[in-house]
Amino acid sequence: MNIPSFTVPKPIGSVLSVLPQYPHSVAFAQALNLVLGPATLQSEALTPLRGKLLCIRVTDAQVALYVSLGQKTFGAARRSREPDLTLSATAHDFMLLATRKEDPDTLFFSRRLLTEGDTELGLLAKNTLDALDLPPLDIKSFAPGKVLGMIKARLLA
């Protein structure tokens, strides 16, 4: 599946920038938990990320998502301090990363993926996620019916 190039329109980004960021962070944390799954989230390899404040900044959407990895799952976080690590890119570039259509190093060296804060932590996170050999993200798996089905299965488990 090819992902056509897109940019979030400025008027939409302007509206998103004034909305509370916490609900976006809750949705993002839950998406990470669904995509990564319990086995990956509880992996020893993710230990250095536990308790760190991570920020994902979607530049064209003017949204900043704050999450932290607890003992078992990612959770939304409020920005109570400077994030330990901030990753910034456009929505399109994050989609390319998530679907593995583009390599993080390529985006980083072309200055389309920016890191701020503890860059060593960023490198560690990138290498850890690469080593986990996750399947490419299938956007179709985020259809509302499928997401609700996954949530229901987790709640019943």
Side-chain angles (χ1 to χ4, degrees), residues 33-115:
N33 294 332
L34 286 171
V35 169
L36 296 176
T40 300
L41 291 168
Q42 295 170 25
S43 166
E44 293 278 326
L46 295 181
T47 299
L49 293 176
R50 296 194 195 288
K52 303 289 186 183
L53 180 59
L54 308 174
C55 174
I56 305 298
R57 184 175 298 126
V58 186
T59 55
D60 54 345
Q62 300 181 43
V63 173
L65 309 166
Y66 295 92
V67 295
S68 183
L69 179 60
Q71 289 303 313
K72 296 184 178 185
T73 61
F74 275 99
R78 298 193 189 275
R79 184 178 176 180
S80 57
R81 58 184 169 86
E82 281 300 309
D84 295 293
L85 177 66
T86 299
L87 299 174
S88 301
T90 64
H92 180 252
D93 285 337
F94 277 126
M95 288 297 292
L96 291 173
L97 284 172
T99 57
R100 299 204 177 208
K101 301 286 185 195
E102 193 71 76
D103 180 75
D105 290 330
T106 301
L107 293 178
F108 178 79
F109 288 114
S110 65
R111 299 185 188 267
R112 291 168 44 201
L113 175 65
L114 304 174
T115 61

Side-chain angles (χ1 to χ4, degrees), residues 6-25 58-65 91:
F6 67 91
T7 301
V8 174
K10 286 188 186 284
I12 293 174
S14 295
V15 169
L16 292 173
S17 73
V18 297
L19 295 175
Q21 299 296 301
Y22 190 73
H24 298 87
S25 297
V58 186
T59 55
D60 54 345
Q62 300 181 43
V63 173
L65 309 166

